[in-house]
Amino acid sequence: MEGLIVKSTTWNGETCKIGMPDGGVGIAVNAMERDKYCFWSIGGYNLKEERHWIWKGGELHVGDKIEIEFAEFDEATPPVLKKPHSCPNPPKKDDSPENWQFKLKTYQKLKKVLEDEGLI
């Protein structure tokens, strides 16, 4: 399978092979300058199981390093957590005339911006 080989200074030199045969994986880094907080995580969604797979991550500090290599390997490091997909706030369908007018006005505004920029 294709995936990511990840090594982080926050893991004391440990390397993880991140991948799944029936889904994709990704790395997210969230830095909050105001709160002086930085966190990273690795995860993916397994379509066959309909579950989110989560690998290691953690808090980052100035000077920490993460090495990422795209590679092919036979077996991945098991995720630390698998959880079912859920949507706590499912979207509400609103077909009211007011909502359609709002959507049309938003579309027209965005279309004008793209026209003014010469993108369409």
Side-chain angles (χ1 to χ4, degrees), residues 6-60:
V6 181
K7 182 177 181 179
S8 171
T9 56
T10 63
W11 295 346
N12 299 321
E14 185 181 338
T15 299
C16 286
K17 294 178 181 177
I18 311 300
M20 65 176 76
D22 297 309
V25 295
I27 295 177
V29 177
N30 296 301
M32 304 288 227
E33 176 65 28
R34 177 185 60 198
D35 299 328
K36 306 231 181 287
Y37 179 76
C38 189
F39 183 84
W40 72 293
S41 61
I42 306 170
Y45 187 70
N46 185 293
L47 295 170
K48 206 178 237 183
E49 293 182 6
E50 294 185 358
R51 290 185 173 277
H52 293 277
W53 289 15
I54 300 166
W55 284 270
K56 291 183 173 186
E59 194 170 341
L60 290 172

